[in-house]
Amino acid sequence: TRTEFSSYDFDRADLQGLDSQRVRVGVEQFFRPMDEALVVRLSAYFEQADADEDRFSFDETRLRGEVIWNIDDASAAALVADYRDRDYDAAFSTQEPFARTDERFEIEARYERKLTERVNAFVAAGYLDNSSNIQARDYDGATFRAGFSLSL
């Protein structure tokens, strides 16, 4: 079981009202069906965000599954499936005077390589479908990412 309390500060953003306090409660389970080389991770979360403006406040349910294959001591490959259902609290805008709702599904394949004790490089490719009742937030397509991660 995992519980997180977060505070987001968007003072530098052009759009006012994004600052929020969030609470996330969930469960996460790891399975190692064969040995340490293969890991299956399943998680379910509920998150509630209370933003300065109600149109940015939301309730979200999230389900995630991940299969990780530790190829060797320095590299791993993963397949991730992630589903989110998010309902906002207030009207999106004066042009769209109703609360926003999003359903998001993403699938991604990822490869990660350890460069140093604290730095990893990664590449990922996938597909994202965000179904929304707000036209500008309704989109789908291929995703590509590459970068570095740092462990402190």
Side-chain angles (χ1 to χ4, degrees):
T1 303
R2 178 183 280 188
T3 303
E4 296 177 20
F5 300 95
S6 305
S7 183
Y8 290 80
D9 183 358
F10 293 99
D11 285 340
R12 296 183 189 172
D14 292 334
L15 194 57
Q16 296 301 309
L18 289 173
D19 291 356
S20 62
Q21 286 70 49
R22 298 182 185 187
V23 176
R24 183 194 298 190
V25 177
V27 293
E28 202 167 53
Q29 182 66 50
F30 291 85
F31 301 95
R32 289 179 170 76
M34 294 185 292
D35 56 27
E36 294 297 315
L38 187 65
V39 178
V40 177
R41 176 182 169 190
L42 302 174
S43 56
Y45 290 98
F46 175 77
E47 183 173 350
Q48 189 170 54
D50 182 20
D52 288 351
E53 288 192 22
D54 285 343
R55 66 185 176 134
F56 299 121
S57 297
F58 62 83
D59 293 337
E60 178 180 87
T61 303
R62 181 177 184 183
L63 302 172
R64 181 180 171 97
E66 185 173 9
V67 177
I68 305 163
W69 176 40
N70 294 304
I71 300 166
D72 56 37
D73 288 343
S75 58
L79 183 61
V80 180
D82 188 71
Y83 171 79
R84 300 175 189 203
D85 184 18
R86 184 180 282 191
D87 294 315
Y88 288 82
D89 292 354
F92 181 72
S93 67
T94 55
Q95 292 81 24
E96 297 175 290
F98 44 86
R100 177 178 162 189
T101 61
D102 291 354
E103 270 190 290
R104 178 181 177 130
F105 177 73
E106 183 174 16
I107 190 162
E108 181 177 78
R110 182 178 70 235
Y111 175 78
E112 191 164 341
R113 179 83 179 161
K114 187 176 194 172
L115 301 177
T116 70
E117 191 63 35
R118 297 185 183 274
V119 178
N120 292 354
F122 68 89
V123 294
Y127 177 78
L128 171 74
D129 180 9
N130 195 78
S131 299
S132 180
N133 63 339
I134 304 297
Q135 185 177 8
R137 302 292 188 242
D138 191 67
Y139 53 87
D140 66 321
T143 61
F144 301 95
R145 299 183 307 126
F148 299 94
S149 62
L150 173 66
S151 298
L152 300 176

